[in-house]
Amino acid sequence: MGPRETRVERIRAALEAALAPEALEVIDESHKHAGHEGARDGRGHFKVLVTSAAFEGLNPIARHRAVYEALGDMMVTDIHALSMTARTPAEAGR
């Protein structure tokens, strides 16, 4: 497994441990940002689609904070940019 796959798996593991998602997709979009200023230090660009009951009663900002908290130091060491969709099971039609 290469460094990018390892990062995706680490992101996935952190979110699974903290949020017990019903659905989770982690997409490495770093290839779209080659040469980008923020990509020069080796950190990546990722998209996360997460459905979790942990988001019940939380506004969008609180949901994003929960994801950032789950990722912890990876937000400094591995992730330059993160886009996310954070939904409850009801919002996802589950």
Side-chain angles (χ1 to χ4, degrees), residues 15-16 19-25 48-56 63 67 85-94:
L15 295 175
E16 287 174 347
L19 302 172
E22 291 187 15
L24 176 61
E25 189 172 355
V48 171
L49 310 169
V50 59
T51 302
S52 174
F55 297 138
E56 295 286 348
R63 294 175 187 194
V67 170
T85 301
R87 302 179 296 188
T88 66
E91 292 166 341
R94 294 185 176 264

Side-chain angles (χ1 to χ4, degrees), residues 8-9 30 36 38 41 70 90:
V8 168
E9 290 308 313
S30 299
H36 178 266
D41 64 4

Side-chain angles (χ1 to χ4, degrees), residues 5 15 17 26 28 37 48 56-57 64 67 77 79 81 84 93:
E5 293 83 6
L15 295 175
V26 180
D28 185 346
E37 182 68 32
V48 171
E56 295 286 348
H64 285 211
V67 170
T77 60
I79 301 168
M84 73 180 86

Side-chain angles (χ1 to χ4, degrees), residues 17-18 28 32 39 43 47 54 59 64-65 79-80 93:
D28 185 346
K32 295 181 180 180
R43 295 180 299 152
K47 179 188 289 186
N59 66 36
H64 285 211
R65 285 183 182 146
I79 301 168
H80 171 72

Side-chain angles (χ1 to χ4, degrees), residues 62-78:
R63 294 175 187 194
H64 285 211
R65 285 183 182 146
V67 170
Y68 293 138
E69 185 176 313
L71 295 173
D73 288 343
M74 281 189 281
M75 290 301 302
V76 176
T77 60
D78 293 277

